[in-house]
Amino acid sequence: MFDFDQYLGFLAFLTILTVGFWLMIFLMTFVIPYWIGGALIERLKEMKEEKKAKRELKS
């Protein structure tokens, strides 16, 4: 069916495809939500500090 070099190329293709698939799953389920969550928390802290600074200026 396959020559040896075609077999190795097919195995390399399957390996790269599998690694890419699991990397995509890892990024979509862990890294991206962690990144978005951290950015939101930082933004909320900044907004809280801005409100505190405005209140201190008024009084």
Side-chain angles (χ1 to χ4, degrees):
M1 182 173 159
F2 282 139
D3 290 335
F4 186 69
D5 57 342
Q6 288 176 326
Y7 179 69
L8 287 179
F10 181 68
L11 285 179
F13 169 74
L14 285 181
T15 302
I16 292 168
L17 184 74
T18 304
V19 168
F21 173 76
W22 288 113
L23 178 63
M24 182 188 68
I25 295 295
F26 173 71
L27 288 173
M28 299 277 297
T29 59
F30 179 72
V31 173
I32 293 175
Y34 183 79
W35 178 34
I36 293 172
L40 287 174
I41 290 171
E42 288 296 317
R43 181 63 184 136
L44 290 174
K45 285 181 184 177
E46 289 174 6
M47 290 170 58
K48 193 177 195 182
E49 289 174 3
E50 288 173 6
K51 283 184 181 179
K52 186 177 179 182
K54 283 183 182 179
R55 268 190 270 137
E56 289 176 357
L57 285 175
K58 286 183 181 179
S59 56

